[in-house]
Amino acid sequence: LYCNWLSGKEGFEPFYRVRRDVVVGFSPSSRGYRLPTEAEWEYAAKYANKRRPSVFVWGNDYELTKALGNIADKTAKDAVKTYLADYNDGFKGIAPSGSFADEPSGLFDMSGNVSEWVHDVYSLSIPIKSKVYLDFLGLPSGSEHVIKGSNYSSASWSELRASFKESSAVGRSDVGFRIARYIN
């Protein structure tokens, strides 16, 4: 709904089709604001401005020598079940956006702080193997959306991977979003 509001404010056709304040589909030809797709999010996290794909948003290093993002660390030890005892980002919960340096992609907060909703509906359907998908936007609707990235309560190396994903049908305090738009 926010993406459609912003699209209207800036004179773009709304991307999402809405009925009674519920998203029921999307308009693929729209150049309005939308959530990034799972593939776009993961490309920015793993590939953008890097020589080769990385395991984590910050690279391939399992040793965190400086604060690279807001994840479960020793400042959050009383608020989370597990934490990285040798890491300190200085924030127990959500940090203000941009509290850490930009990542190789030029984006901020792809690792930690809050996980992010993406456009894709979570599906266990296997794509047709013989079909080529370009700018794949996925199914028009579904009961759960994909959530990408780690957040301030993430401490396992699996959760910190750039490829980590979850899904949910409802909001959570550790999930936010960023917006995207085609520019041509």
Side-chain angles (χ1 to χ4, degrees):
L1 296 177
Y2 174 79
C3 291
N4 279 2
W5 171 83
L6 185 59
S7 294
K9 184 173 171 70
E10 296 192 9
F12 297 111
E13 173 194 353
F15 182 80
Y16 295 103
R17 282 189 262 135
V18 178
R19 213 175 292 138
R20 295 186 187 138
D21 287 337
V22 174
V23 174
V24 294
F26 57 87
S27 177
S29 62
S30 168
R31 294 299 179 243
Y33 289 96
R34 61 181 173 75
L35 299 179
T37 65
E38 180 179 4
E40 289 168 332
W41 194 100
E42 198 162 319
Y43 177 84
K46 293 173 70 172
Y47 295 87
N49 295 326
K50 297 177 182 175
R51 291 183 180 173
R52 56 184 83 97
S54 62
V55 175
F56 306 106
V57 173
W58 62 82
N60 293 316
D61 197 352
Y62 280 84
E63 187 176 337
L64 304 174
T65 56
K66 64 179 184 169
L68 298 167
N70 183 17
I71 56 179
D73 65 346
K74 59 185 171 185
T75 59
K77 69 180 178 182
D78 298 328
V80 294
K81 290 180 184 177
T82 59
Y83 64 95
L84 299 171
D86 295 333
Y87 182 73
N88 185 358
D89 60 38
F91 295 97
K92 183 176 185 174
I94 297 174
S97 294
S99 293
F100 301 90
D102 61 335
E103 290 148 5
S105 63
L107 299 173
F108 291 87
D109 301 320
M110 293 285 288
S111 179
N113 219 21
V114 293
S115 301
E116 298 177 4
W117 293 106
V118 295
H119 170 76
D120 299 65
V121 172
Y122 184 76
S123 172
L124 295 175
S125 299
I126 298 170
I128 300 167
K129 194 174 187 176
S130 61
K131 186 174 179 183
V132 174
Y133 296 92
L134 298 174
D135 295 329
F136 184 64
L137 292 169
L139 301 171
S141 62
S143 61
E144 295 187 6
H145 275 267
V146 174
I147 299 170
K148 290 295 291 177
S150 56
N151 61 62
Y152 64 89
S153 65
S154 301
S156 77
W157 292 114
S158 292
E159 290 176 319
L160 296 173
R161 288 179 14 251
S163 60
F164 180 72
K165 75 176 177 180
E166 304 175 81
S167 67
S168 182
V170 297
R172 303 188 325 223
S173 62
D174 62 350
V175 177
F177 67 94
R178 70 179 64 233
I179 58 174
R181 185 176 78 74
Y182 291 119
I183 58 172
N184 55 12

